[in-house]
Amino acid sequence: MPEAVRFSRYGGPEVLELAEVPRPRAGRGQIVVAVVAAALNPGETGIREGVFAGIWPAHFPEGQGNDFAGRVAETGEGVEGFAVGDEVLGFAPRAAQAEFVVVGPDVLAPRPAALGWAEAASIAGAGATAWAGVRAVDPRPGETVVVSAAAGGVGVIAAQLAKLRGATVIGTASEGNFAFLHGLGISPVTYGPGLAERLRAAAPQGVDAYLDTFGGGNVDVAIELDVRPGRINTIADEPAIWAALAESAATGEFTIPIDRVYPVAQVRDAYRDPATRHVRGKRVPAFEPLSTVEGETR
Ligand SMILES: NC(=O)c1ccc[n+]([C@@H]2O[C@H](COP(=O)([O-])OP(=O)(O)OC[C@H]3O[C@@H](n4cnc5c(N)ncnc54)[C@H](OP(=O)(O)O)[C@@H]3O)[C@@H](O)[C@H]2O)c1
């Protein structure tokens, strides 16, 4: 039987085991991939330890790993564009660290022959996250961009993508990674207390955009450096994004039109209505009566 990484209780790496599992078969529209490599990402550590149990509970026995690279082993009826033997990379949440994964063609892309297997296995998670983060802050030639945790899985790709756009990139890191970052053309600065002052010294002309891949106050540092809010992005500090968005909505910079508020007893209707997919803004079940005034609730 093929093997897969599994855990059956929350805990440290000691709860991980290589378990024998049934070989998945490709149903209609599905593809089975024989995995060659599957990356490690910090989010799955939090899931395994139970830190995120409230929002992302594990379902035991749980698998691990998201982004992978491998060879197509079987294609189901109706699959087009992929054939047995094709080398691919893709995304299989909580399942990728296994000899075989079964996925849809929508989460697979070709693996270029010149790209190593381990590198290909890092594209769909860290690579895609870095790409989206960089695109969001939109670095332009001649600008100065800060990337936090620039030696990390996401940060090291993001910093290079920002550089490819012609920006000068400052990356935060511990000193052990300074030579490594210099080698990639990224100017390293130590993270931790006093970061804003060190960044001011490193970029006397100012910082144009700030991509945080670590959390822990980087958004505050960006604001302190007067980076325009639209050019600050974080992939790791959601409450900071929520707070900024809530403030912006509260001051009327943008609106969240409320299409309809439902007493929670009418929750079935609330789900039936959006099924039309023609809402104007949000439909919200509520436990208290909320008056709706021209699409706004108070
Ligand atoms: N990987 C993904 O696909 C993905 C997707 C979405 C979101 N995320 C989230 O994004 C974050 C980063 O993920 P990752 O995969 O890049 O992590 P990672 O590869 O584990 O990177 C960790 C990096 O964090 C740096 N670091 C440690 N303490 C720091 C501090 N106090 N301030 C600034 N940097 C510090 C380290 O720098 P030094 O070694 O130089 O000390 C290290 O390079 C995580 O919160 C993760 O959950 C990841």
Coordinates of all heavy atoms in Angstrom, one line a residue, residues 40-43 67 125-127 129 148-155 172-175 177 191-192 213-215 218 235-236, ligand 1:
L40 N 7.2 22.0 2.9 CA 6.8 22.2 4.3 C 6.4 23.7 4.5 O 7.2 24.5 4.0 CB 8.0 21.8 5.2 CG 7.9 21.8 6.7 CD1 9.0 20.8 7.2 CD2 8.1 23.1 7.3
N41 N 5.3 24.0 5.1 CA 4.9 25.4 5.3 C 4.5 25.5 6.8 O 4.0 24.6 7.4 CB 3.7 25.8 4.4 CG 4.1 25.8 3.0 OD1 5.0 26.6 2.6 ND2 3.5 24.9 2.2
P42 N 4.8 26.7 7.4 CA 4.6 26.9 8.8 C 3.1 26.8 9.2 O 2.8 26.3 10.3 CB 5.1 28.3 9.1 CG 5.2 29.0 7.8 CD 5.4 27.9 6.8
G43 N 2.2 27.1 8.3 CA 0.7 27.0 8.7 C 0.3 25.6 9.1 O -0.5 25.4 10.0
D67 N 1.5 22.1 -1.1 CA 2.1 22.2 -2.4 C 3.0 21.1 -2.8 O 3.8 20.7 -1.9 CB 2.7 23.6 -2.7 CG 3.4 24.2 -1.5 OD1 3.3 23.6 -0.4 OD2 3.9 25.3 -1.6
G125 N 2.3 27.1 -3.2 CA 2.0 27.7 -1.9 C 2.8 28.9 -1.7 O 2.3 30.1 -2.0
A126 N 4.1 28.8 -1.3 CA 4.9 30.0 -1.1 C 5.0 30.9 -2.3 O 5.0 32.1 -2.2 CB 6.3 29.5 -0.6
G127 N 5.3 30.2 -3.5 CA 5.4 31.0 -4.7 C 4.2 31.9 -5.0 O 4.3 33.1 -5.3
T129 N 1.8 32.7 -3.0 CA 1.6 33.7 -2.0 C 2.5 34.9 -2.2 O 2.0 36.1 -2.1 CB 1.8 33.1 -0.6 OG1 1.0 31.9 -0.5 CG2 1.5 34.1 0.5
S148 N 9.4 41.9 4.7 CA 9.8 41.4 6.0 C 10.0 39.9 5.9 O 9.5 39.2 5.0 CB 8.8 41.7 7.1 OG 7.6 40.9 6.9
A149 N 10.9 39.3 6.8 CA 11.2 37.9 6.8 C 11.7 37.5 5.4 O 11.2 36.5 4.8 CB 10.1 37.0 7.2
A150 N 12.7 38.2 4.8 CA 13.1 38.1 3.4 C 13.8 36.8 3.1 O 14.1 36.5 2.0 CB 13.9 39.3 3.0
A151 N 14.3 36.1 4.2 CA 14.9 34.8 3.9 C 14.0 33.7 4.0 O 14.4 32.5 3.8 CB 16.1 34.7 4.9
G152 N 12.7 33.9 4.4 CA 11.8 32.8 4.6 C 11.2 32.3 3.3 O 11.5 32.8 2.2
G153 N 10.4 31.3 3.4 CA 9.9 30.6 2.2 C 9.1 31.6 1.3 O 9.4 31.6 0.1
V154 N 8.2 32.4 1.8 CA 7.5 33.4 1.0 C 8.4 34.6 0.7 O 8.5 35.1 -0.4 CB 6.2 33.8 1.7 CG1 5.5 34.8 0.9 CG2 5.3 32.6 1.9
G155 N 9.0 35.1 1.8 CA 9.8 36.3 1.7 C 10.9 36.3 0.7 O 11.1 37.2 -0.1
T172 N 14.1 42.2 5.8 CA 14.4 42.1 7.2 C 14.8 40.6 7.4 O 14.2 39.7 6.8 CB 13.3 42.5 8.1 OG1 12.2 41.6 8.1 CG2 12.8 43.9 7.8
A173 N 15.8 40.4 8.3 CA 16.3 39.1 8.5 C 17.2 39.1 9.7 O 17.6 40.2 10.2 CB 17.1 38.6 7.3
S174 N 17.6 37.9 10.2 CA 18.6 37.9 11.3 C 20.0 37.9 10.6 O 20.1 37.5 9.4 CB 18.4 36.7 12.2 OG 18.3 35.5 11.5
E175 N 21.0 38.2 11.4 CA 22.3 38.5 10.7 C 22.9 37.3 10.0 O 23.6 37.4 9.0 CB 23.3 39.0 11.8 CG 23.2 40.5 11.9 CD 24.2 41.1 12.9 OE1 25.3 40.5 13.0 OE2 23.9 42.1 13.5
N177 N 21.5 35.5 8.0 CA 21.0 35.5 6.6 C 21.5 36.7 5.8 O 21.1 36.8 4.6 CB 19.5 35.4 6.6 CG 19.0 34.0 6.8 OD1 19.6 33.0 6.4 ND2 18.0 33.8 7.6
Y191 N 15.5 42.6 11.9 CA 14.2 42.9 12.4 C 14.2 43.1 13.9 O 15.3 42.9 14.5 CB 13.2 41.8 12.0 CG 13.6 40.3 12.3 CD1 13.6 39.9 13.7 CD2 14.0 39.5 11.3 CE1 14.0 38.6 13.9 CE2 14.3 38.1 11.6 CZ 14.3 37.7 12.9 OH 14.7 36.4 13.2
G192 N 13.1 43.4 14.6 CA 13.1 43.6 16.0 C 13.0 45.0 16.4 O 12.9 45.9 15.6
T213 N 5.7 39.5 5.4 CA 5.4 38.1 5.4 C 5.6 37.5 6.7 O 5.8 36.2 6.8 CB 6.3 37.4 4.3 OG1 7.7 37.2 4.8 CG2 6.3 38.1 3.0
F214 N 5.7 38.3 7.8 CA 5.9 37.7 9.1 C 4.8 38.1 10.1 O 4.5 37.3 11.0 CB 7.2 38.1 9.7 CG 7.5 37.4 11.0 CD1 8.0 36.1 11.0 CD2 7.3 38.1 12.2 CE1 8.2 35.5 12.2 CE2 7.5 37.4 13.4 CZ 8.0 36.1 13.4
G215 N 4.2 39.3 10.0 CA 3.3 39.7 11.1 C 4.1 40.4 12.2 O 5.1 41.0 12.0
N218 N 4.8 44.5 11.8 CA 5.3 45.0 10.6 C 4.4 46.1 10.0 O 4.9 47.1 9.4 CB 5.7 43.9 9.6 CG 7.1 43.4 9.8 OD1 8.1 44.0 9.4 ND2 7.2 42.3 10.5
I235 N 0.7 39.1 4.7 CA 0.1 37.8 4.4 C 0.0 37.1 5.8 O -0.5 36.0 5.8 CB 0.9 37.0 3.5 CG1 2.3 36.7 4.1 CG2 1.1 37.6 2.1 CD1 3.0 35.5 3.5
A236 N 0.4 37.7 6.8 CA 0.6 37.0 8.1 C -0.2 37.6 9.3 O -0.2 37.1 10.3 CB 2.0 36.8 8.4
Ligands
LIG1 N1 4.3 29.3 2.9 C1 3.1 29.6 2.4 O1 2.7 29.0 1.4 C2 2.2 30.6 3.1 C3 1.0 30.9 2.5 C4 0.2 31.9 3.2 C5 0.6 32.4 4.4 N2 1.8 32.0 4.9 C6 2.2 32.6 6.2 O2 3.2 33.5 6.0 C7 4.1 33.5 7.0 C8 5.5 33.2 6.5 O3 5.5 32.0 5.9 P1 6.8 31.3 5.3 O4 6.5 30.1 4.7 O5 7.6 32.4 4.5 O6 7.6 31.1 6.7 P2 9.1 30.6 6.9 O7 9.7 30.0 5.7 O8 9.1 29.7 8.1 O9 9.9 31.9 7.2 C9 10.3 32.2 8.5 C10 11.1 33.5 8.4 O10 10.7 34.4 9.4 C11 11.8 35.2 9.8 N3 11.6 35.7 11.2 C12 11.6 35.0 12.4 N4 11.3 35.8 13.4 C13 11.1 37.0 12.8 C14 10.7 38.3 13.4 N5 10.5 38.5 14.7 N6 10.5 39.3 12.5 C15 10.6 39.2 11.2 N7 11.0 38.0 10.6 C16 11.2 36.9 11.4 C17 13.0 34.3 9.8 O11 14.1 35.1 9.5 P3 15.6 34.7 9.9 O12 15.8 33.3 9.6 O13 16.4 35.6 9.1 O14 15.7 35.0 11.4 C18 12.6 33.3 8.7 O15 13.3 33.5 7.5 C19 3.6 32.5 8.0 O16 2.9 33.2 9.0 C20 2.8 31.6 7.2 O17 1.8 31.0 8.0 C21 2.6 31.1 4.3

